[in-house]
């Protein structure tokens, strides 16, 4: 059995018991596919992982950078109380449209707001609104800008906030100090910022599963 078949089988086993997808999650993926969006959402076990992190945080305010079809958004928003809020930033108007419909069908349109545009333009506007600090920030957009997204996450958070960065392993490419791929250069810069910043402490967790070999970085904001 190849590694990836084994990883699929194990993901299926855990997912079927611990993170089954309800109608709204299944429909979100179906409509994402029908609209021709790429198959790069987090997996169900990863979505449940993000949801658990938000619950452990007692999150009331979540920021997501990179919405796609709103699949990870649904998992995260379900961790929020009724008066909670999730803002998700998405570059593509087409992706944001698909996500907005998926979120409405999931009954989450009152607490989730999708904002269209390049995140590095949306973030300063968001900061100008003086929002309450985000308890959790999930970074999952263009990886080349990961260092900038960690900097913005820090600016928009509080002591105790959690910053999660998706796709930090990329099949192991992260370990290549000579890489010139913008995604790897940007992600290494984010990791090295987490390492060096006096207000951040973090780690990274390698993952395998139906999306292959990748991982999450986790950083906690200090006082
Ligand atoms: N979080 C989603 C997957 C996001 S895929 C999930 O797991 O379900 C990455 C998304 O980031 C894509 O929709 C892409 O359009 C968006 N993106 C790319 N560059 C961006 C930018 N500069 N600003 C905001 N979003 C961006
Ligand atoms: C890609 C982006 C993602 O956010 C992801 O989870 C997997 C792959 C990509 O751009 O290839
Ligand atoms: Mg991702």
């Amino acid at each position: 059995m190849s590694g990836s078949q084994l990883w699929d089988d194990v993901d299926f086993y855990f997912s079927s018991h611990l993170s089954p997808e309800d109608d709204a999650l299944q429909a979100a993926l179906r409509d994402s596919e029908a609209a021709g969006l790429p198959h790069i959402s987090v997996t169900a076990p990863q979505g449940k992982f993000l949801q658990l992190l938000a619950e452990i945080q007692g999150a009331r305010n979540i920021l997501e950078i990179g919405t796609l079809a709103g699949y990870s958004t649904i998992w995260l928003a379900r961790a929020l109380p009724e008066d909670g809020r999730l803002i998700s930033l998405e570059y593509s108007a087409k992706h944001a449209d698909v996500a907005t419909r998926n979120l409405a069908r999931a009954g989450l349109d009152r607490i989730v707001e999708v904002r269209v545009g390049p995140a590095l333009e949306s973030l300063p506007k968001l900061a100008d609104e003086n929002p309450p600090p985000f308890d959790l920030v999930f970074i999952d957009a263009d990886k080349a800008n990961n260092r900038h997204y960690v900097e913005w996450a820090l600016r928009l958070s509080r002591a105790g906030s959690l910053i999660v960065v998706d796709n930090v392993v990329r099949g192991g490419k992260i370990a290549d100090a000579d890489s010139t791929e913008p995604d790897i250069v940007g992600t290494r810069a984010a990791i090295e910022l987490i390492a060096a910043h006096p207000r951040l402490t973090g780690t990274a967790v390698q993952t395998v599963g139906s999306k292959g070999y990748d991982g999450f970085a986790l950083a906690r904001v200090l006082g």
Side-chain angles (χ1 to χ4, degrees):
M1 189 183 285
S2 75
S4 64
Q5 181 61 52
L6 186 59
W7 297 348
D8 283 355
D9 292 348
V10 173
D11 245 7
F12 180 81
Y13 169 73
F14 284 135
S15 190
S16 59
H17 288 283
L18 300 173
S19 55
E21 288 172 333
D22 67 359
D23 290 348
L25 285 163
Q26 284 177 14
L29 290 182
R30 207 171 49 233
D31 283 9
S32 177
E33 164 104 42
L37 272 49
H39 296 195
I40 55 176
S41 305
V42 295
T43 63
Q46 291 171 343
K48 183 69 179 283
F49 175 66
L50 294 172
Q51 185 176 91
L52 288 168
L53 290 176
E55 287 171 3
I56 292 163
Q57 276 299 95
R60 305 186 68 80
N61 291 288
I62 296 176
L63 174 64
E64 177 177 67
I65 307 177
T67 319
L68 191 64
Y71 182 82
S72 55
T73 322
I74 294 174
W75 283 105
L76 283 164
R78 286 179 171 169
L80 289 169
E82 267 182 33
D83 60 347
R85 189 165 185 226
L86 188 155
I87 296 176
S88 189
L89 308 180
E90 172 54 52
Y91 176 80
S92 156
K94 177 179 172 182
H95 296 184
D97 277 353
V98 175
T100 300
R101 282 195 299 275
N102 284 336
L103 290 157
R105 180 170 40 213
L108 294 165
D109 41 337
R110 285 186 319 284
I111 59 175
V112 179
E113 185 190 342
V114 179
R115 297 189 178 186
V116 181
L120 287 178
E121 288 179 17
S122 304
L123 286 160
K125 289 183 203 154
L126 178 57
D128 284 346
E129 295 167 21
N130 273 319
F134 293 97
D135 308 298
L136 186 151
V137 181
F138 179 48
I139 298 172
D140 191 18
D142 48 325
K143 318 305 176 193
N145 280 317
N146 272 343
R147 181 194 174 95
H148 303 296
Y149 295 147
V150 171
E151 283 168 350
W152 275 106
L154 188 57
R155 196 172 313 180
L156 292 166
S157 60
R158 58 164 171 88
S161 292
L162 180 66
I163 301 168
V164 182
V165 189
D166 195 21
N167 310 117
V168 300
V169 174
R170 293 289 187 141
K173 287 187 198 169
I174 191 68
D176 180 4
D178 299 325
S179 177
T180 54
E181 276 182 48
D183 288 5
I184 300 301
V185 173
T187 301
R188 286 178 63 94
I191 297 295
E192 288 156 35
L193 174 65
I194 293 168
H197 201 289
R199 289 191 60 222
L200 291 172
T201 180
T203 191
V205 181
Q206 304 184 59
T207 59
V208 295
S210 53
K211 276 186 69 184
Y213 173 35
D214 218 323
F216 293 105
L218 305 173
R220 183 170 170 85
V221 179
L222 304 171

